[in-house]
Amino acid sequence: MSAKIIDGKKIAAEMREALKERVKKAGPGLAVIIVGENPASQVYVRNKERACIEAGIRSEVIAFPEEATQEAVMARIDLLNKDPAIHGILVQLPLPAHFDSRKVLDFISAGKDVDGFHPCNMGTLFLGNPGLQPCTPHGIMKMLEHEKVEIRGKHAVVVGASNIVGKPMAVMLLSKGATVTICNSKTRDLGHHTRDADILVVAVGRPNLVTGDMVKEGAVVIDVGMNRLQDGRLCGDVDFDSASEKASLITPVPGGVGPMTIAMLLENTVEAEERSWRR
Ligand code: GUN
């Protein structure tokens, strides 16, 4: 089988277009905090800002130097929490080593937590209630829906158990009726699990970890990896060429999951504002 490529860029563009109507009725504002000069983070933040401008969402990037104190960053979050013109707050990760990231993320008001990382939003997701959901797994669910992938009764295997992607992804798939396996870096014989997956989501940050021989014939393969090789090329966690020989549907890197993450951030920001009216 030669897989159909899921065009995340195109699906995300359609969603961003559809969002413009909702933006017009509102005046959402997003604040993005970045600490230090991690080059990948700088690229991500720039892309988020560009996407906001294009969608008509006000965005404010607040950059702190690497040596900024946690207190200074938290004092700024406190102001943003209280600012009625700001509906979404995002702290770009990773933070420098002297930060307690959990403490910083927990300090963001749950109603403005457009990353969906706050324990309240994570708990809401776990319970299956509506709330702000982490952008990457949320975007993947939208992609599966767009491609009319049946989830109920399927075996979904999530490789990677991070708080940002793997764990919320597993819960979202479970809520839609999948039987879910979560693999982590200690999993013995990873291929044994991945070869049984009808839906395979890989989010570990290891270039080409999953090869075609680890993919079931006809599987749906979602690659969350975004790895920069020494020659400067971007590559995913899945070996695209061999995996696309086996899969029925597969996401490319770049142009797959990444654009969906940004589209969901914009949607969460609008959602956060709409929710603030109902409070
Ligand atoms: N760093 C890598 N991915 C993410 C994300 O989804 N949100 C934030 N805030 N930081 C990240």
Side-chain angles (χ1 to χ4, degrees):
M1 186 178 285
S2 190
K4 178 191 166 203
I5 295 171
I6 305 180
D7 189 347
K9 205 170 160 185
K10 181 156 167 267
I11 303 169
E14 286 167 17
M15 295 193 161
R16 282 162 60 166
E17 202 51 46
L19 198 63
K20 283 183 181 167
E21 282 306 306
R22 282 166 75 189
V23 173
K24 266 190 223 151
K25 291 195 194 114
L30 174 70
V32 177
I33 294 179
I34 177 169
V35 187
E37 277 161 23
N38 181 316
S41 290
Q42 287 177 326
V43 172
Y44 292 144
V45 167
R46 213 175 304 133
N47 287 342
K48 288 170 186 176
E49 191 183 21
R50 208 174 291 150
C52 279
I53 293 168
E54 199 265 336
I57 295 174
R58 271 178 301 106
S59 84
E60 182 183 346
V61 175
I62 301 156
F64 285 91
E66 183 81 23
E67 61 280 5
T69 64
Q70 180 161 311
E71 289 67 33
V73 172
M74 286 173 71
R76 191 60 195 259
I77 293 174
D78 189 37
L79 292 176
L80 294 168
N81 280 340
K82 292 171 182 154
D83 184 345
I86 291 294
H87 305 92
I89 304 170
L90 178 151
V91 175
Q92 186 64 31
L93 300 175
L95 287 168
H98 64 279
F99 278 75
D100 178 346
S101 299
R102 194 70 255 172
K103 209 165 167 184
V104 174
L105 295 179
D106 290 3
F107 194 60
I108 297 171
S109 159
K112 296 190 178 188
D113 166 40
V114 284
D115 256 331
F117 294 163
H118 192 280
C120 282
N121 288 321
M122 281 284 174
T124 297
L125 174 67
F126 198 94
L127 295 170
N129 295 329
L132 292 170
Q133 299 186 15
C135 301
T136 299
H138 191 195
I140 292 170
M141 295 304 284
K142 292 272 183 179
M143 243 179 182
L144 295 174
E145 195 181 308
H146 183 274
E147 298 299 316
K148 302 189 169 55
V149 173
E150 173 84 32
I151 296 175
R152 215 157 59 127
K154 295 294 169 64
H155 185 199
V157 176
V158 179
V159 183
S162 70
N163 290 328
I164 296 182
V165 186
K167 284 191 223 169
M169 183 82 258
V171 172
M172 288 178 199
L173 289 162
L174 180 66
S175 314
K176 292 287 180 196
T179 302
V180 181
T181 300
I182 311 177
C183 300
N184 58 44
S185 58
K186 315 290 183 301
T187 298
R188 281 177 286 145
D189 194 0
L190 182 63
H192 166 79
H193 299 280
T194 59
R195 270 190 292 275
D196 194 50
D198 301 309
I199 299 168
L200 178 60
V201 181
V202 191
V204 283
R206 295 218 353 232
N208 302 328
L209 172 71
V210 171
T211 45
D213 58 308
M214 297 164 75
V215 176
K216 180 157 110 174
E217 195 73 41
V220 176
V221 178
I222 307 291
D223 187 353
V224 187
M226 186 78 92
N227 308 294
R228 182 75 63 184
L229 299 176
Q230 279 187 338
D231 63 8
R233 276 182 307 136
L234 267 186
C235 94
D237 292 348
V238 175
D239 177 47
F240 184 84
D241 291 343
S242 61
S244 54
E245 296 278 312
K246 304 284 280 299
S248 60
L249 281 170
I250 190 167
T251 60
V253 175
V257 173
M260 295 300 293
T261 298
I262 295 200
M264 291 304 106
L265 171 66
L266 304 177
E267 186 169 306
N268 274 355
T269 304
V270 178
E271 174 84 21
E273 183 185 21
E274 290 170 351
R275 280 168 181 269
S276 74
W277 301 337
R278 285 180 236 138
R279 245 186 258 123

